[in-house]
């Protein structure tokens, strides 16, 4: 019973080392960890604007041309 637990733990630490577990965090990683809300906004706003842009480029005539104007259509 203890052997399979030990092998899972060893596999986890091998994976951790392969993914850089022994290195110090970079400046960007520290900044994101200190300000997670700002980092989230910096990612969410451009992605949202990209989706709005793609919805505005829709060529389907039965659907509204933009998500922003879909609320006002009757």
């Amino acid at each position: 019973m203890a052997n399979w637990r030990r092998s899972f733990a060893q596999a986890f630490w091998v994976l951790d080392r392969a993914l850089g577990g022994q290195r110090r965090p970079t400046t960007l990683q520290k900044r994101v960890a200190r300000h997670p809300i700002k980092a989230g906004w910096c990612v969410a706003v451009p992605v949202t604007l990209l989706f709005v842009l793609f919805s505005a480029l829709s060529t389907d005539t039965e659907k509204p041309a933009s998500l922003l104007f879909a609320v006002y259509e009757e």
Side-chain angles (χ1 to χ4, degrees):
M1 177 93 163
N3 286 338
W4 67 270
R5 284 185 183 173
R6 188 173 299 143
S7 64
F8 280 128
Q10 288 174 346
F12 170 77
W13 290 117
V14 167
L15 179 65
D16 183 57
R17 269 184 259 114
L19 294 175
Q22 296 294 327
R23 289 179 274 176
R24 296 181 58 89
T26 63
T27 305
L28 179 64
Q29 290 171 334
K30 289 178 186 178
R31 190 176 303 145
V32 168
R34 287 182 188 133
H35 307 287
I37 304 294
K38 288 181 184 178
W41 275 103
C42 288
V43 172
V45 169
V47 169
T48 302
L49 292 175
L50 184 70
F51 283 132
V52 169
L53 175 69
F54 284 153
S55 69
L57 297 176
S58 175
T59 59
D60 193 3
T61 58
E62 293 185 15
K63 293 183 182 176
S66 175
L67 280 177
L68 295 176
F69 299 112
V71 177
Y72 298 112
E73 300 258 340
E74 293 180 10

